[in-house]
């Protein structure tokens, strides 16, 4: 299905993935940016760069995972009580929205490689739309929390009649972590929107499919982070 | 394509399992169960959607070392909190001879 | 040696370069002379120089603050500043030296300049991101300095909660400045990692890379994986201080010790961000001036990765007295000592390389000797403070201050100076004066040792760190320490003076003044914009001192497009 990737995989790690033959070189086209000899080579570097960046992002959220784990040991009862008070149905719907959006963008990458440009573009923008749905639901949830009197920092009247230790901590980390995640969703939507536009109007040639892949991979990471935030904040 | 859609189906099924199980009273195991299901979902997304299976060794190294580092981080922080005897910042209980904050724990 | 050479001849077809016929005297320095051509450059060598200028400026600034602190401690009471100012000055000194000097010092300057050349590439993988990282660094630095002027910062460079959440000083802009500088560090590391994996010239296997590249690569791993956690902890402090949400506030169920976990998860590996590149410099200088193959290339390369990995397992040793559990403290104590194993492997390998070498005592090598002595000294005391029982006594005393200054100044700064002299001819195309260089090196060593050795004694005698007033019996050692600091400052100014002079009036440097086999010496001094006139064949290893010079150069040259190595 994706022949370019196969070829990339075959070259060993210690050597340049330079073109094997002149025919390949013509098919792949010249490099666009300075330090690389071929586009294929540049695409691999871009992909590796994105993965290294995502590794970094994972550690950013890793800080939250460490905090949540530690606080759960310290305030087991408070955290369980707070989870039960959370908007579980909305949060779970949001998980489903993100899983669907990930599927959409994965399929978009696949069909773009096959040259079905319009379908790919439509799927990318479906993903962006699902991102918007996610953010809307998230905002609704925040609204419901504020309505109940739950504000970050243990402020609000909800805390007047709920005083198990750890409740304030749970909600503050909840707001900060989901807020940071929502920022990542927004960045991912912008990124996908820009690439999606050039997919639709044909300015992104098939040989440059890696740009779409980069945006997609970023979007998947946002999804993966949410896959873990969901049980920690809503389920148990 | 088929693989992508199968993966998507599996993700939705796992989501349903996790959501359904959250209504079952599993006590302390509920979080562990939810996180294990989450791990399965994450593995599917990373390996299939993000195509890590087909990536070169260098990309796998990047992903692997990030995972390893996060694991070390969470484990060693958790190890501290889980083995602390009384939380160091709880108000000290009225005790005639207050020796050290870690009265129940093995001493220094 | 012969096995690799024949191996490579098979694959070593010359790769055509962009401009094989470029005029000979043109170098990266003369290729565009306007301010714009510097500020908007994507040439890794020019970006390295931009970093060098900014990093040196902050070294100077941090140094002035250090001298102010030492002068203040001439007497047990107030000397030249109030206690209010004192708190701000030691915080500023720490923040500037750690985040604005030590972290970017070697990787962003020498790493940036040399890594692409050492792997036979035209530039880093993402040249524009490389430039962007410098601007991000400047933006973060500007915000930090702005915060220091408008309100100052009195939390110490560690920003410990709960105090940092309540400090009246400008905590929010300062921690956001650190957060921004962190992104520049991540982008630099990312660029290096991707370049090492994707831009090595044909035939340059991983195990044929110069050891400096291994050191920078290991450093980059730490930068990418640890810095985001610093970023997060800075954001959380900013939230606590600015919005008062109390994530670490005990009265709301928060746990300040968790802040320390987040903070040290970055800031301990950060020590290896500082020292690993220094070790890379040492690994380059020693084979060149001993004219010997490293005793074990693999041991040095793998131990760099080993230090990067174990660096992530040790952060808890900063928190032995902070209230972490005895079990965790014990685990961290043992894990911390693992770093010493890898460091010792390096030290022994370096010494074994020197043994029976044909040593020429030049300034860079003299600095390396200083490094070896001070690093071992600092490292051994590090093992001592990693023992929980001893640390309880020494924690937060001058003993710890002396220990980490032995590593950061005695190790990292000394290696920075070694690298500065070693690569000065390559970077500028001029030679510095060897005699003055050696004199300055002795002065740096003397100044350093007189400054910091008494601090071990002070700490052991019970002098706490960050105290404004101290008991009069500590005064003699404080006075000695201050005298040493003045000497160290003078020595650094001397270096600045003669290197500045050499920049303009120094002798023209040959392409390979040290007769080194490492790859950066295969190109001209200063290098052309695309690093090599013709991509060399990398036929020999970077430390192949097994054959005479002429023979080695014959192998190094590309057969068709030979460029003259005199």
């Amino acid at each position: 299905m994706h022949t370019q990737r196969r070829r990339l995989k075959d070259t060993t790690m210690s050597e340049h993935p330079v073109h094997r033959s002149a025919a390949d070189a013509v098919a792949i086209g010249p490099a666009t940016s300075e330090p690389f000899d071929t586009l294929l080579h540049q695409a691999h570097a871009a992909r590796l760069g994105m993965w290294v960046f995502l590794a970094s992002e994972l550690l950013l959220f890793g800080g939250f995972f460490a905090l949540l784990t530690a606080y759960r040991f310290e305030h087991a009862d408070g955290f369980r009580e707070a989870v039960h008070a959370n908007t579980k149905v909305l949060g779970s719907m949001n998980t489903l929205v993100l899983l669907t959006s990930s599927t959409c963008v994965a399929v978009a990458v696949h069909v773009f490689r096959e040259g079905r440009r319009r379908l790919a573009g439509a799927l990318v923008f479906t993903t962006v739309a699902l991102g918007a749905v996610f953010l809307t639901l998230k905002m609704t949830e925040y609204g419901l929390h504020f309505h109940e009197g739950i504000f970050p920092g243990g402020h609000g009247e909800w805390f007047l009649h709920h005083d198990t230790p750890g409740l304030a901590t749970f909600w503050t980390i909840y707001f900060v972590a989901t807020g940071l995640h929502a920022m990542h969703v927004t960045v991912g939507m912008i990124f996908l929107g820009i690439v999606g536009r050039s997919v639709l109007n044909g300015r992104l040639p098939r040989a440059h499919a890696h740009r779409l892949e980069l945006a997609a991979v970023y979007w998947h990471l946002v999804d993966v982070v949410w896959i873990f935030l969901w049980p920690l904040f809503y389920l148990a | 394509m088929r693989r992508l859609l199968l993966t998507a189906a599996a993700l939705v099924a796992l989501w349903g399992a996790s959501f359904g199980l959250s209504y079952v009273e599993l006590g302390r195991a509920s979080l562990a169960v939810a996180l294990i299901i989450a791990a399965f979902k994450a593995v599917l997304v990373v390996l299939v959607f993000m195509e890590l299976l087909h990536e070169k060794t260098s990309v796998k190294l990047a992903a692997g070392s990030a995972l390893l580092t996060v694991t070390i981080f969470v484990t060693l922080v958790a190890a501290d909190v889980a083995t602390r005897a009384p939380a160091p910042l709880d108000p000290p209980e009225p005790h005639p001879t207050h020796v050290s904050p870690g009265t129940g724990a093995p001493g220094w | 040696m012969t096995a690799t050479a024949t191996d490579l001849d098979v694959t070593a077809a010359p790769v055509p370069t962009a401009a094989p016929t470029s005029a000979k005297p043109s170098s990266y320095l003369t290729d565009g002379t306007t301010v714009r051509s510097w500020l908007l450059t994507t040439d890794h060598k020019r970006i390295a120089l931009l970093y060098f200028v900014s990093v040196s400026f902050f070294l100077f600034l941090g140094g002035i603050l250090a001298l102010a602190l030492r002068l203040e401690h001439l007497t047990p009471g107030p000397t030249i500043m109030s206690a209010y100012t004192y708190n701000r000055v030691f915080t500023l000194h720490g923040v500037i030296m750690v985040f604005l000097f030590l972290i970017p010092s070697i990787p962003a300057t020498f790493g940036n300049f040399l890594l692409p050349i050492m792997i036979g590439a035209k530039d880093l993988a993402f040249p524009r991101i490389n430039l962007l990282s410098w601007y991000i660094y400047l933006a973060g630095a500007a915000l930090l300095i702005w915060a220091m002027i408008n309100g100052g910062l009195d939390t110490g460079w560690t920003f410990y909660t709960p105090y940092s959440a309540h400090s009246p000083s400008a905590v929010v802009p300062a921690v956001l400045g650190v957060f921004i500088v962190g992104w520049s560090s991540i982008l630099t590391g990312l660029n290096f990692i991707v370049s090492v994996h994707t831009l090595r010239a044909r035939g340059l296997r991983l195990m044929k890379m110069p050891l400096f590249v291994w050191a920078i690569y290991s450093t980059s791993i730490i930068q990418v994986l640890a810095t985001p956690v610093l970023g997060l902890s800075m954001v959380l402090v900013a939230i606590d201080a600015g919005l008062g949400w109390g994530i670490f506030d005990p009265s709301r169920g928060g746990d300040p010790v968790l802040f320390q976990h987040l903070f040290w998860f970055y800031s301990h590996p950060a020590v290896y961000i500082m020292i690993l590149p220094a070790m890379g410099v040492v690994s380059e200088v020693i084979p060149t001036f001993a004219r010997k193959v490293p005793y074990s290339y693999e041991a040095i390369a793998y131990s760099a990765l080993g230090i990067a990995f174990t660096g992530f397992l040790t952060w808890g040793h900063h928190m032995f007295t902070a209230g972490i559990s005895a079990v965790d403290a014990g685990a961290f104590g043992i894990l911390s000592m693992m770093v010493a194993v890898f460091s010792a492997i390096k030290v022994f390998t370096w010494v074994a390389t020197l043994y029976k070498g044909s040593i020429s005592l030049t300034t860079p090598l003299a600095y390396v000797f200083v490094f070896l002595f001070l690093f071992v000294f600092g490292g051994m005391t590090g093992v001592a403070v990693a023992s929980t029982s001893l640390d309880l006594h020494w924690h937060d005393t001058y003993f710890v201050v002396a220990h980490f200054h032995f590593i950061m100044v005695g190790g990292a700064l000394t290696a920075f100076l070694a690298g500065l002299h070693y690569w000065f001819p390559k970077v500028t195309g001029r030679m510095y004066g060897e005699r003055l260089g050696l004199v300055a090196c002795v002065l740096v060593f003397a100044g350093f040792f007189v400054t910091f050795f008494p601090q071990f004694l002070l700490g052991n005698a019970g002098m706490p760190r960050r105290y404004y007033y101290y008991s009069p019996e500590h005064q003699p050692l404080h006075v000695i320490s201050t005298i040493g600091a003045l000497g160290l400052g003078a020595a650094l100014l001397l270096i600045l003076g003669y290197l500045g002079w050499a920049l303009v009036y120094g002798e023209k440097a040959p392409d390979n003044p040290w007769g080194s086999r490492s790859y950066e010496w295969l190109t001209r001094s200063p290098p052309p914009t695309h690093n090599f006139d013709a991509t060399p064949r990398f036929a020999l290893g970077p430390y192949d001192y097994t054959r005479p010079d002429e023979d080695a150069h014959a192998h190094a040259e590309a057969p068709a497009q030979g460029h003259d190595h005199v």
Side-chain angles (χ1 to χ4, degrees), chain A:
Chain A
M1 57 191 191
H2 28 261
T3 48
Q4 288 191 8
R5 305 293 294 292
R6 291 271 159 73
R7 206 177 297 133
L8 241 182
K9 214 183 120 209
D10 290 341
T11 59
T12 60
M13 184 175 127
S14 59
E15 258 183 60
H16 268 200
V18 283
H19 42 269
R20 294 280 173 78
S21 66
D24 274 7
V26 174
I28 292 153
T32 49
S33 176
E34 268 282 288
F36 298 99
D37 294 331
T38 68
L39 186 58
L40 190 59
H41 190 185
Q42 190 185 347
H44 169 57
R47 214 156 26 226
L48 177 59
M50 179 49 90
W51 274 93
V52 173
F53 180 71
L54 295 186
S56 191
E57 291 275 57
L58 186 65
L59 264 293
L60 180 72
F61 283 100
F64 284 116
F65 295 134
L67 277 180
L68 284 168
T69 313
Y71 277 134
R72 204 169 266 270
F73 274 112
E74 292 186 3
H75 307 296
D77 297 334
F79 267 52
R80 199 160 311 143
E81 187 183 335
V83 166
H84 280 300
N86 208 344
T87 44
K88 179 156 99 179
V89 175
L90 283 180
S92 306
M93 276 168 65
N94 249 349
T95 310
L96 199 55
V97 168
L98 273 194
L99 290 175
T100 316
S101 74
S102 261
T103 310
C104 276
V105 80
V107 175
V109 169
H110 182 74
V111 296
F112 185 71
R113 288 202 196 110
E114 290 176 347
R116 294 152 79 184
R117 183 167 61 77
R118 281 177 187 285
L119 180 58
L123 282 167
V124 170
F125 278 101
T126 313
T127 310
V128 175
L130 286 171
V133 171
F134 176 89
L135 288 180
T136 315
L137 281 175
K138 194 77 231 148
M139 292 307 140
T140 315
E141 284 180 60
Y142 285 165
L144 287 172
H145 299 320
F146 296 155
H147 186 72
E148 268 190 278
I150 300 172
F151 291 91
H155 302 294
E157 61 188 76
W158 189 81
F159 294 96
L160 294 180
H161 30 91
H162 294 86
D163 58 354
T164 318
L167 288 180
T169 312
F170 175 90
W171 286 108
T172 310
I173 296 181
Y174 165 82
F175 279 111
V176 176
T178 54
L180 191 69
H181 179 263
M183 275 167 63
H184 280 77
V185 171
T186 314
V187 171
M189 283 165 65
I190 295 172
F191 195 2
L192 279 174
I194 293 171
V195 182
R197 232 172 75 95
S198 46
V199 167
L200 264 191
N201 64 22
R203 268 183 303 169
L204 189 75
R206 248 168 96 184
H208 285 262
H210 68 274
R211 296 214 186 128
L212 177 58
E213 284 169 33
L214 296 189
V217 166
Y218 182 85
W219 188 260
H220 292 310
L221 182 90
V222 173
D223 188 19
V224 167
V225 168
W226 183 262
I227 284 175
F228 284 101
L229 291 181
W230 177 52
L232 287 168
F233 285 135
Y234 294 93
L235 292 186

Side-chain angles (χ1 to χ4, degrees), chain C residues 286 290 292 349-359 365 369 372:
Chain C
I286 285 183
K292 250 184 85 185
T349 315
W350 290 325
V351 173
T353 309
L354 286 165
Y355 180 65
K356 288 193 171 166
S358 158
I359 290 176
L365 190 65
F369 288 154
L372 284 176

Side-chain angles (χ1 to χ4, degrees), chain B residues 2 6 15 25 34-35 38 45 48 68 78 81 85-86 88 108:
Chain B
R2 209 168 138 255
L6 277 178
W15 171 84
E25 186 50 61
L35 284 176
V45 171
V48 182
L68 178 66
V81 181
W108 289 102

